[in-house]
Amino acid sequence: NGVPGPNVKFSLLLCGAMFCAALGRVSQADEVHVAVAANFLGTLQQIAHGFSQQGPHRVLISSGSTGKLYAQIVHGAPYDIFLAADAERAQRLEREGRSVKGSRYTYARGRLALWSRDARRVDATGSVLQTAAVAHLAMANPRTAPYGLAAKQTLQHLGVWQVWQARIVQGEDIGQVLQFVDSGAAELGFVAYAQVKQRGVGSHWLVPQTHHAA
């Protein structure tokens, strides 16, 4: 959600300015380029669509893992707004002078969920992780995706990380993890609870926040 330092928050942050306020300040027919972690992509697309109906401005969206987007910013990617899935990268950008000082803030809290398209696969306690009945488990790259790190920490907390390592299907971000589960490449996947709610199918376990770094 290696383990991050004690100041890392598993949350969604905006680095640069408030999204709607930033869009509202652009000049006529301007473009705003937004980098967004995969877990918030669907919501951002809805916000951007609504904004585009109000005037000539265009919102350009680039989605991926928080770590990958951070690296792109460090190497000069021209993003105006960064919607990250953890506090660590946003804090780094501020310390490095790559963002508007004082503009970073937490605007929402993400929740990790274990999800399957099979309505009978996952129970309310996630006990399926303690069995050997599942061939593949999808999760995002823990080195670059906060939700992937949270998933790894959850498996470590449950004492089953070593058991699952050989059966993990790793995605670049949780958007790709969702695709793996949707396609049947993995029976289970650690995704964002918001994605589960949007799908409205299958079964899920809402992972307790005590199972990974807050």
Side-chain angles (χ1 to χ4, degrees):
N1 190 212
V3 176
N7 293 324
V8 175
K9 296 180 180 179
F10 184 49
S11 56
L12 307 174
L13 287 102
L14 171 62
C15 205
M18 288 181 64
F19 179 64
C20 291
L23 294 178
R25 288 196 297 269
V26 299
S27 60
Q28 186 172 6
D30 259 345
E31 293 180 344
V32 177
H33 200 166
V34 184
V36 59
N39 62 297
F40 200 66
L41 176 60
T43 301
L44 176 61
Q45 289 172 329
Q46 293 178 34
I47 294 172
H49 177 73
F51 179 79
S52 68
Q53 304 303 306
Q54 301 176 22
H57 311 304
R58 292 182 60 207
V59 181
L60 305 179
I61 298 174
S62 295
S63 179
S65 68
T66 293
K68 181 178 179 180
L69 294 172
Y70 166 81
Q72 290 175 355
I73 292 170
V74 169
H75 287 90
Y79 298 133
D80 299 301
I81 298 171
F82 180 29
L83 291 159
D86 67 7
E88 180 184 6
R89 272 80 169 200
Q91 289 170 345
R92 284 189 203 172
L93 292 174
E94 191 172 50
R95 288 196 302 267
E96 295 163 358
R98 301 179 190 275
S99 67
V100 176
K101 188 175 182 180
S103 65
R104 175 177 55 84
Y105 73 100
T106 302
Y107 64 88
R109 294 282 179 181
R111 290 295 302 273
L112 180 70
L114 180 69
W115 178 65
S116 172
R117 286 193 61 83
D118 184 342
R120 298 170 296 178
R121 177 80 67 178
V122 183
D123 66 13
T125 64
S127 62
V128 64
L129 293 173
Q130 303 290 345
T131 73
V134 178
H136 298 100
L137 169 66
M139 59 179 278
N141 186 342
R143 293 189 300 275
T144 58
Y147 276 86
L149 182 53
K152 178 179 179 179
Q153 291 174 344
T154 296
L155 294 174
Q156 290 173 329
H157 177 86
L158 295 173
V160 296
W161 170 246
Q162 297 298 330
V163 174
W164 280 101
Q165 270 192 287
R167 288 181 280 164
I168 288 175
V169 179
Q170 186 169 283
E172 176 71 26
D173 52 51
I174 58 171
Q176 192 171 47
V177 171
L178 197 71
Q179 293 174 11
F180 288 155
V181 181
D182 261 337
S183 68
E187 296 95 324
L188 300 172
F190 279 108
V191 298
Y193 180 51
Q195 293 173 307
V196 173
K197 292 176 69 176
Q198 288 174 350
R199 279 296 189 275
V201 297
S203 55
H204 74 276
W205 170 49
L206 188 60
V207 179
Q209 292 176 298
T210 54
H211 285 23
H212 54 77

